[in-house]
Amino acid sequence: MQTRPFRSVLYIPGSKARALEKAMGLPADAIIFDLEDAVAPEEKASARVLLAETLQSRDYGARAKLVRINALSSQWGAEDLDVIASARPEAILLPKVDTATHVEDLARRLDARPETAETQIWAMMESPLGVLNALSIAQAPRMAGFVMGTNDLAKDMGCRFRPDRLPLLSALQLPLMAAKSAGIVAVDGVYNAFRDADGLRAECEQGRDMGFDGKTLIHPAQLDIANEVFAPTEAEIATARRQIAAFDAATARGEGVAVVDGKIVENLHIVTAQQTLARAEAIAEMTE
Ligand code: COA
Ligand code: MG
């Protein structure tokens, strides 16, 4: 089970020195240092150098550090990897992943360098073909997480943005199921209207209820809401403790089930309760 928190996953354009500095003090569980869509073509070369230097000289603490390179089929991808490899990235986030072969190609390139011996791969789920191939992609070498690319998905599907995201539900759930099957992380797509706190909260709650580990974010103003929504509440933690205590007591009496708040508690509920406590503990460690 995934216990490292990924409640808030903040995109930072690799070209923006000020945002790169600022991020060292922001309460993000993870950062996506972006060289792809947030960086204009004329800035690609300077951004990758700035980012490699920044990652080598700055301390982002416990935050997970992902670098989103350009697709390896693009004119920038291979050089992004060359420059970023020197900074020993914790994970490379590969965009436009349509098939497992895209991940296998990157994995071979990482295998070929000692600096990237430990580097994990994350994949953007942002095309209909990628979504349909989600299971084989999730099972590919070095895979550690999916990031939903909902803007690209909506574009390719020709579907509309709606507050309930009904047109995107299958495209969200298929990669989510693949991620769960493979035991990797899955984080939801961005909420574009970054000044709309209520809309963001509603979408975070929807993603959380579906089973996502967290949400990708584009602006620091979105951090607190994602951190709050994707964390277990005090009430959930208290219930988890009571379920475990009641189940232990039932087991001691030789019984296989307990009842808490009028609801049955079985083995499987204890697994969920323990996960809730483990997540709460991991979040507490992260925020220490
Ligand atoms: N990460 C870290 N810091 C950020 C940030 C981010 N994603 N977005 C903004 N900031 C910082 C700014 O540098 C600014 O810092 P300062 O006040 O110390 O100078 C502060 O937060 C306030 O920024 P603000 O003026 O409100 O935002 P903006 O109008 O300059 O920029 C965006 C708005 C959306 C362009 C910007 O947030 C952004 O580039 N987001 C990331 C986009 C991205 O990565 N997209 C790709 C994936 S979808
Ligand atoms: Mg994209």
Side-chain angles (χ1 to χ4, degrees), residues 10-13 16 18-19 22 26 34 38 68 190 194-195 218-220:
L10 180 66
Y11 280 101
I12 305 186
K16 289 194 179 166
R18 177 134 186 90
K22 199 178 169 86
L26 293 174
D34 193 20
R68 185 166 78 168
V190 300
F194 58 88
R195 306 272 180 222
I218 49 176
H219 193 280

Side-chain angles (χ1 to χ4, degrees), residues 146-168:
F146 278 162
V147 174
M148 296 309 307
T150 37
N151 283 320
D152 271 296
L153 264 172
K155 167 175 77 60
D156 286 3
M157 307 257 304
C159 73
R160 296 195 181 185
F161 289 95
R162 286 177 23 165
D164 64 4
R165 294 200 291 176
L166 197 61
L168 277 176

Side-chain angles (χ1 to χ4, degrees), residues 9 11 31-36 65-71 89-97 106 119-126 143 145-148 187 216:
V9 180
Y11 280 101
I31 298 173
I32 296 173
F33 299 98
D34 193 20
L35 297 173
E36 200 221 13
K65 294 166 280 293
L66 288 70
V67 176
R68 185 166 78 168
I69 61 172
N70 289 279
E90 180 175 344
I92 298 285
L93 171 58
L94 195 60
K96 314 279 189 301
V97 177
L106 174 58
T119 302
Q120 297 181 323
I121 300 176
W122 284 53
M124 294 296 304
M125 284 285 108
E126 55 184 349
M143 276 297 301
F146 278 162
V147 174
M148 296 309 307
V187 293
T216 44

